């Protein structure tokens, strides 16, 4: 019992971080209607600022640095804390004015990807600007202990919980007892009424962003010595925080605070239980990280209909959808260009071409599910990874030959995709993004990082052969063989053409109808639930095939092959390319992680270390300035040129049933609205 009590108190430090993040999310949602995935990244910057100041007195800025001390005489603790908290508040203020304020009337998709982009941007900037491997957090809170029922309890853990409770009380008091706070809540219901009453929703929101940014930075700075200093963990603490915020229906500061403390203690108890003899060996890793996913799903299923939505001044227009047409000549020319590129390159360049082809297939799964069906998924790389690890089992343990091995592994990913997609039957938008991101983290922790399922030395994969023809990626000194490259090209081309046919047919029209208006789609006989499940199944299958091809291209897989960061980066690149068009998937493949664009940045420009920063920055610019992506921008320019030269207007427009989008048979483009 003493050990149980001790671990309960040990979990309070992490639980306090969850609580403050969660109450901050509640405040931001009340003020802006935004679910801020970057809350942890904002706090991450603050904790490293304080660590650097207390190590050698260097104030690290996004560009450049200032000296406020030295190694022998570092910055005083209180001053360092103040600077760190202010830096978090400034990041939050910049996020409001530069990103989320311009996206106030944007569709949920743009707000979600912008939030994810900000998370990636700050995380990448932390890695670039700070010596993350050498910096250490120094203690701030008292380190003495006392005993309760034989358990040794840290005073710092109790103080962390107290600070979290005080922050929750202060936020509640601000929103309930002050004129500005009440006006903020009123504005979340009706912005126009708030403006007519003389309040600026933008200024009210800015105040909340500053308060919540400072609170998140403070709690992480106080707890860093106990929890540890890690450049990514605080970023993904946002998932447990979202889980407990949803338990409080994104409205209750008290429930979110209490649930955060309970979740932190519960995860600590699970960690303790995993060391006991009766605990199964396969569940010794990742179970605690999977708990937030379960909490998110249960909370959204039980409370999804009770979570309030923010009032709006108008409809949010979704990015235009470009319906593909299969033209034989362009297809042949594109395939021929890839063949020539493969034949004329070798080494890392050919590997980059092959990787770009594979990534374009995974990006196509995002285009299908998010761009066409309107279901925001952040778990595509988790589906790819599940198929990749399944490929190792079916080839080495079961001896399933190629290409049946790919089919079977992709079907396993499909089943997983359907399971993750079930919540989409009741929830949508940013809430669905929360579910899929929580699922991705749960899969990464429980499957990819589980030694009993994924050995530390990696999962070996048997080389593919077909009728005695060796299709392995490596032969002798050749890094990427022509045979393997051609196999990947055939698989990607065939699947892409099939998906394009789906998109241009009745299935695509049903997807667009559901994307535009689910009730209208149901009124004309479309089975909305079946359509959503089909979308998740097809998307997971495509991602699964891509994961298998990644597995074959590596020869073995490890936990680092399919991280959530890689998946989010690919989402960023898909949005940059154009998440509503097949061409956008090709662009995403070219500029995706380890693709041709990455090889160019690394080998030609020597900018490889800036890749994630460039990717996240590009995503933010696209989300704010050009939501249709590169492909959409090019097509808009072409359309303007055609209009000026009098070459448009000769195609009759058609309407997709129940969706209301306008499509043309040549450059078929559709746009839809959501209320």
């Amino acid at each position: 019992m003493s050990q149980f009590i001790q671990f309960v108190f040990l979990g309070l430090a992490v639980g306090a971080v969850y609580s403050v993040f969660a109450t901050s999310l509640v405040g931001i949602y009340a003020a802006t209607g935004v679910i801020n995935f970057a809350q942890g990244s904002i706090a991450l910057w603050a904790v490293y600022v304080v660590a650097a100041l207390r190590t050698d007195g260097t104030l690290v800025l996004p560009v450049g640095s200032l000296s406020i001390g030295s190694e022998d005489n570092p910055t005083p603790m209180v001053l360092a804390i103040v600077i760190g908290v202010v830096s978090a508040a400034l990041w939050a203020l910049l996020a409001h004015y530069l990103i989320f304020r311009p996206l106030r009337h944007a569709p949920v998709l743009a707000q979600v990807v912008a939030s994810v982009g900000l998370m990636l941007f700050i995380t990448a900037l932390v890695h670039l600007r700070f010596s993350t491997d050498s910096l250490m957090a120094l203690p701030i809170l008292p380190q003495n202990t006392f005993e309760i029922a034989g358990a040794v309890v840290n005073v710092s853990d109790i103080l962390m919980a107290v600070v979290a409770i005080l922050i929750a009380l202060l936020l509640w008091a601000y929103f309930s007892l002050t004129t500005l706070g009440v006006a903020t809540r009123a504005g979340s219901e009706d912005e126009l009424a708030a403006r007519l009453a003389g309040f600026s929703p933008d200024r009210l929101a800015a105040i909340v962003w500053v308060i919540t940014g400072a609170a998140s930075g403070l709690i992480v700075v106080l707890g860093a010595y106990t929890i540890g200093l890690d450049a990514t963990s605080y970023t993904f603490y946002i998932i447990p925080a979202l889980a407990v915020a949803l338990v409080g229906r994104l409205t209750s500061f008290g429930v979110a605070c209490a649930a955060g403390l309970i979740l932190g203690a519960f995860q600590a108890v699970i960690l303790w239980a995993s060391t006991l003899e009766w605990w199964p060996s396969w569940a010794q890793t990742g179970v605690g990280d999977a708990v937030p996913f379960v909490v998110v799903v249960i909370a959204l299923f039980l409370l999804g209909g009770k979570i309030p939505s923010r009032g709006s001044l108008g409809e949010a227009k979704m990015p235009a959808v470009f319906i593909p047409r299969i033209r034989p000549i362009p297809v042949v020319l594109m395939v021929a260009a890839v063949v020539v590129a493969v034949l004329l390159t070798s080494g890392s360049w050919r590997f980059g071409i092959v990787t770009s082809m594979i990534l374009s297939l995974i990006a196509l799964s995002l285009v299908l599910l998010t761009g066409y069906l309107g279901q925001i998924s952040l778990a595509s790389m988790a589906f790819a990874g599940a198929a990749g690890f399944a490929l190792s089992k079916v080839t080495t343990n079961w001896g399933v030959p190629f290409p049946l091995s790919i089919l079977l592994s992709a079907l396993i990913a499909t089943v997983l995709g359907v399971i993750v997609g079930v919540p989409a039957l009741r929830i949508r938008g940013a809430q669905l993004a929360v579910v899929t991101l929580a699922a991705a983290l749960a899969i990464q922790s429980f499957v990819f990082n589980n030694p009993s399922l994924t050995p530390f030395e990696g999962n070996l994969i048997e080389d593919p052969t077909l009728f005695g023809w060796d299709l392995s990626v490596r032969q002798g000194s050749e890094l990427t063989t022509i045979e393997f490259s051609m196999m990947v090209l055939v698989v990607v081309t065939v699947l892409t053409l099939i998906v394009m046919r789906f998109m241009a047919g009745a299935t695509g029209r049903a997807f667009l109808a559901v994307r535009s208006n689910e009730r209208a789609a149901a009124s004309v006989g479309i089975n909305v639930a079946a359509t959503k499940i089909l979308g998740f199944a097809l998307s997971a299958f495509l991602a699964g095939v891509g994961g298998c091809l990644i597995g074959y291209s590596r020869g073995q897989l490890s936990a680092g092959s399919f991280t959530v960061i890689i998946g989010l980066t690919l989402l960023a690149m898909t949005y940059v390319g154009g998440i509503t068009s097949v061409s956008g998937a090709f662009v995403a493949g070219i500029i995706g992680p380890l693709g041709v664009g990455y090889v160019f940045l690394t080998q030609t420009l020597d900018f490889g270390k800036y890749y994630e920063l460039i990717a996240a920055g590009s995503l933010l610019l696209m989300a704010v300035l050009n939501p249709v992506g590169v492909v959409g921008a090019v097509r808009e320019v072409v359309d303007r040129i055609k209009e000026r030269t009098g070459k448009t207007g000769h195609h009759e427009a058609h309407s997709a049933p129940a969706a209301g989008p306008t499509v043309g048979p040549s450059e078929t483009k559709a746009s839809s609205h959501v209320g």
Side-chain angles (χ1 to χ4, degrees):
M1 180 59 69
S2 62
Q3 287 185 333
F4 173 82
I5 296 174
Q6 183 166 337
F7 272 85
V8 168
F9 281 100
L10 284 174
L12 290 180
V14 174
V17 176
Y18 295 166
S19 295
V20 175
F21 282 8
T23 51
S24 297
L25 290 170
V26 171
I28 292 173
Y29 189 79
T32 66
V34 170
I35 295 180
N36 183 28
F37 290 88
Q39 196 70 27
S41 299
I42 290 172
L44 178 69
W45 180 270
V47 74
Y48 270 100
V49 164
V50 174
L53 286 170
R54 299 192 67 196
T55 299
D56 57 14
T58 301
L59 173 57
V60 178
L61 304 173
V63 178
S65 60
L66 299 174
S67 180
I68 315 179
S70 62
E71 291 187 11
D72 297 329
N73 187 26
T75 306
M77 181 182 69
V78 174
L79 179 59
I81 294 173
V82 170
I83 293 174
V85 171
V86 170
S87 70
L90 288 175
W91 270 113
L93 189 62
L94 289 173
H96 168 63
Y97 278 112
L98 298 182
I99 300 172
F100 295 108
R101 182 187 177 189
L103 293 175
R104 274 177 56 247
H105 305 299
V108 175
L109 173 61
Q111 295 177 352
V112 169
V113 296
S115 184
V116 170
L118 180 61
M119 177 180 73
L120 294 174
F121 184 86
I122 297 178
T123 303
L125 197 60
V126 166
H127 283 281
L128 286 173
R129 299 294 297 138
F130 295 94
S131 302
T132 54
D133 295 332
S134 59
L135 285 177
M136 297 179 62
L138 299 177
I140 293 175
L141 299 175
Q143 297 303 303
N144 50 312
T145 61
F146 62 94
E147 286 193 13
I148 296 181
V152 178
V153 178
N154 296 316
V155 173
S156 60
D157 295 336
I158 302 295
L159 291 176
M160 286 284 290
V162 170
V163 172
I165 295 171
L166 288 176
I167 289 174
L169 287 172
L170 289 173
L171 285 171
W172 171 82
Y174 175 79
F175 277 94
S176 302
L177 305 178
T178 68
T179 302
L180 293 178
V182 173
T184 302
R185 280 192 180 275
S188 69
E189 298 294 332
D190 191 335
E191 280 193 14
L192 184 58
R195 290 185 181 278
L196 293 176
F199 294 99
S200 169
D202 289 334
R203 293 197 186 100
L204 295 175
I207 294 172
V208 175
W209 277 98
V210 169
I211 294 173
T212 55
S216 298
L218 175 63
I219 197 68
V220 170
V221 167
L222 294 178
Y225 180 76
T226 302
I227 301 171
L229 196 59
D230 183 82
T232 56
S233 61
Y234 292 109
T235 297
F236 290 114
Y237 278 175
I238 193 63
I239 295 304
L242 282 166
V244 296
L246 290 171
V247 171
R249 296 183 300 164
L250 286 171
T251 58
S252 174
F253 295 103
V255 173
C257 178
L261 293 173
I262 293 171
L263 179 59
F266 184 65
Q267 286 181 319
V269 170
I270 290 178
L271 180 63
W272 165 69
S274 66
T275 64
L276 303 179
E277 293 183 359
W278 54 267
W279 191 267
S281 59
W282 55 267
Q284 290 182 345
T285 302
V287 176
D289 293 329
V291 171
F293 170 65
V294 177
V295 173
V296 165
V297 172
I298 294 175
L300 288 175
F301 259 88
L302 295 179
L303 305 172
K306 299 179 181 179
I307 295 175
S309 58
R310 180 173 170 80
S312 176
L313 294 178
E315 287 188 330
K317 187 177 181 180
M318 295 285 284
V321 171
F322 297 93
I323 301 174
R325 292 186 62 193
I326 300 177
R327 296 186 176 91
I329 294 179
V331 169
V332 171
L333 291 176
M334 183 175 293
V335 171
V338 175
V339 171
V340 171
V342 168
L343 295 176
L344 295 180
T345 56
S346 61
S348 58
W349 278 101
R350 183 185 292 171
F351 182 79
I353 293 172
V354 171
T355 301
S356 288
M357 289 190 285
I358 298 172
L359 292 180
S360 68
L361 185 63
I362 301 177
L364 185 61
S365 73
L366 289 169
V367 170
L368 181 70
L369 182 61
T370 302
Y372 251 67
L373 188 55
Q375 306 303 301
I376 305 175
S377 174
L378 306 181
S380 60
M381 196 56 70
F383 300 147
F389 284 106
L391 180 70
S392 172
K393 303 297 182 183
V394 302
T395 58
T396 58
N397 296 353
W398 302 347
V400 178
F402 173 87
L404 292 178
S405 56
I406 289 184
L407 179 61
L408 180 58
S409 302
L411 288 175
I412 293 174
T414 303
V415 173
L416 187 62
V418 170
I419 294 173
V420 174
V422 168
L425 302 182
R426 290 198 58 179
I427 58 178
R428 58 188 61 84
Q431 297 171 22
L432 182 59
V434 173
V435 171
T436 54
L437 182 56
L441 283 171
I443 294 170
Q444 176 179 298
S445 299
F446 187 67
V447 179
F448 302 163
N449 292 330
N450 193 331
S452 61
L453 300 176
T454 306
F456 290 115
E457 64 273 13
N459 291 60
L460 297 176
I461 297 175
E462 294 291 334
D463 290 331
T465 59
L466 185 63
F467 304 121
W469 188 17
D470 186 2
L471 300 175
S472 59
V473 66
R474 294 178 182 84
Q475 294 177 11
S477 60
E478 196 169 7
L479 177 64
T480 308
T481 63
I482 293 177
E483 292 82 357
F484 178 80
S485 305
M486 294 300 111
M487 181 269 286
V488 171
L489 176 60
V490 169
V491 172
V492 172
T493 301
V494 170
L495 287 178
T496 300
L497 292 175
I498 292 174
V499 171
M500 291 174 68
R501 182 67 187 89
F502 270 124
M503 287 180 170
T507 303
R509 289 194 295 272
F511 279 17
L512 287 176
V514 172
R515 173 187 188 258
S516 178
N517 191 312
E518 292 183 15
R519 292 182 180 178
S523 69
V524 295
I526 296 175
N527 189 326
V528 174
T531 302
K532 286 185 177 182
I533 293 298
L534 176 62
F536 272 94
L538 291 175
S539 177
F541 181 83
L542 292 174
V545 173
C548 292
L549 294 177
I550 290 176
Y552 277 131
S553 71
R554 308 293 194 271
Q556 69 174 27
L557 294 176
S558 63
S561 302
F562 301 97
T563 65
V564 174
I565 289 292
I566 293 176
L568 295 178
T569 303
L570 182 59
L571 169 68
M573 294 295 90
T574 307
Y575 197 85
V576 169
I579 202 166
T580 58
S581 68
V582 175
S583 301
F586 297 151
V587 174
I590 293 173
I591 61 180
L594 301 181
V596 174
Y598 179 86
V599 174
F600 176 76
L601 282 176
T602 303
Q603 296 198 359
T604 305
L605 302 180
D606 196 25
F607 282 176
K609 64 180 181 179
Y610 300 106
Y611 175 77
E612 289 185 1
L613 191 69
I614 294 172
S618 301
L619 171 58
L620 290 173
L621 289 175
M622 285 294 176
V624 175
L625 302 177
N626 182 32
V628 295
V630 172
V631 172
V634 171
R635 285 177 172 169
E636 287 179 352
V637 171
V638 172
D639 287 345
R640 290 195 191 100
I641 294 174
K642 288 182 178 180
E643 288 176 1
R644 292 177 180 177
T645 56
K647 293 183 179 181
T648 58
H650 62 282
H651 291 304
E652 184 181 356
H654 302 278
S655 295
T662 303
V663 296
S666 176
E667 190 61 74
T668 48
K669 181 172 80 170
S671 62
S672 58
H673 297 74
V674 291

